[in-house]
Amino acid sequence: QLNPPKLRPLTKQQQQQQQHDSLMLDWRSFRAKLIQMELRGCLVPSTPPNPKPAAAGRGSGLGTFAFSSGSWAHELPAPEVGCVLVARQDGMQFFDRTVVLLAAHDVRHGSVGFVLNKPSPLRLCEVQLSATAQGILDTFGSQRLQLGGPVHMETLTLLHAFAGLAGAQKVSEGVYYGGLPAAVDLVRSGLARPEDFKLLLGMTGWSPGQLEQEIASGAWWVVAAGQGLVLPSSGGGGSSPNGSGTKQQMLHGRSPD
């Protein structure tokens, strides 16, 4: 009788690739669902600029879409900070089939976002950045970069779930960006892992009114999404068993004791 082969545990890189593949499949499934709904006439071809707020899923026919990861998403009537923009049209050059997290949105100053599903073949140690945080290469040098957008490509932004991280700004519930120097200290102390942070190179920007015009022309679906879809690995444990309680404090916005 043959003994069954022993299964080797996944390496850290294999685990990260598995999480990335799951996220890409989820977004492809959701985009396909949106396309089907639109073809059946359940979704309006474009969202008018500055519509009145509506309850989640009402008027679109889409409702809430559940993902294999346990997260959720539903269409919104207008862009707001923390929503995601799903590319509707093919041939959008850099933004073809992209999903963009909207991190800032203001009628006077425009909008800023970060692409979530455009991986780069580069690791942090292979590019030259303007970031000056001490120890950044030692801490995140082996991490693979994602392309956050086509502008300010010399700038590195961290996307993460640590509410209590100094310098971080809240995007939506459980999703934050920034705080690079504090992130370095957190990883060095063993209270977080490098893979708890998504490293984004560059960003996406719109001048005042530009995003609304693009939405009205049918370029984007505007979607609310759960934290598990934006940060699929954000709930992982710390690298130190003794630091798990302190990490939970950071995740819930409290400074470590």
Side-chain angles (χ1 to χ4, degrees), residues 110-135:
S111 309
V112 175
F114 301 103
V115 176
L116 297 176
N117 63 334
K118 206 171 183 67
S120 160
L122 298 174
R123 299 185 185 277
L124 180 62
C125 60
E126 299 174 320
V127 299
Q128 187 174 8
L129 302 170
S130 62
T132 57
Q134 185 175 4

Side-chain angles (χ1 to χ4, degrees), residues 4-5 12 39 56 71 94 149 189 198 243 257:
K12 183 174 71 173
L39 290 176
S71 191
F94 182 93
S189 67
K198 185 189 292 283
D257 297 331

Side-chain angles (χ1 to χ4, degrees), residues 150-226:
V151 298
H152 297 299
M153 292 292 289
E154 77 286 355
T155 303
L156 177 71
T157 302
L158 298 185
L159 194 63
H160 54 86
F162 292 96
L165 196 67
Q169 298 186 52
K170 182 176 180 178
V171 180
S172 60
E173 195 63 38
V175 179
Y176 303 83
Y177 73 94
L180 178 57
V184 170
D185 292 338
L186 199 65
V187 174
R188 281 180 164 182
S189 67
L191 299 178
R193 306 166 300 172
E195 57 266 31
D196 288 332
F197 300 86
K198 185 189 292 283
L199 276 61
L200 302 169
L201 194 64
M203 61 186 65
T204 301
W206 293 268
S207 59
Q210 182 183 1
L211 178 57
E212 287 83 355
Q213 292 175 2
E214 291 184 7
I215 293 171
S217 69
W220 304 99
W221 278 298
V222 184
V223 175

